[in-house]
Amino acid sequence: MNTATETGGPAGAVRVARVVERVRRGLGRGIREDASDLDRQKRIGCRFVGCGLLAFCAVMLPTALARADLAAGWWTP
């Protein structure tokens, strides 16, 4: 059994560095093909709008269900 990885030796440090690099790339902080600022701003804006839409739907769902009797029967409940 290799004790260097268990005690945090050089092999363990290399393994940790690889894991950290994979996590960074997975979270979008790694090297991108489109490294322009405009593309980054577009991604941030899309995330902001998408999260806002999801939050709005989650907040309005109880109200929409409570007032479903006011809508016509053919309307989406």
Side-chain angles (χ1 to χ4, degrees), residues 2-76:
N2 188 358
T3 58
T5 57
E6 293 177 3
T7 60
V14 170
R15 187 174 298 155
V16 169
R18 286 182 185 165
V19 170
V20 168
E21 182 61 28
R22 287 181 188 163
V23 170
R24 283 185 179 164
R25 286 179 188 245
L27 294 175
R29 297 180 186 185
I31 299 170
R32 293 188 178 273
E33 293 177 9
D34 55 342
S36 70
D37 290 336
L38 181 60
D39 288 338
R40 182 179 54 85
Q41 289 175 347
K42 285 180 183 178
R43 284 191 300 271
I44 292 171
C46 289
R47 289 176 188 153
F48 179 77
V49 171
C51 290
L53 178 63
L54 291 176
F56 175 78
C57 290
V59 168
M60 292 304 294
L61 186 63
T63 304
L65 293 176
R67 303 289 181 215
D69 58 332
L70 299 175
W74 55 267
W75 193 258
T76 305

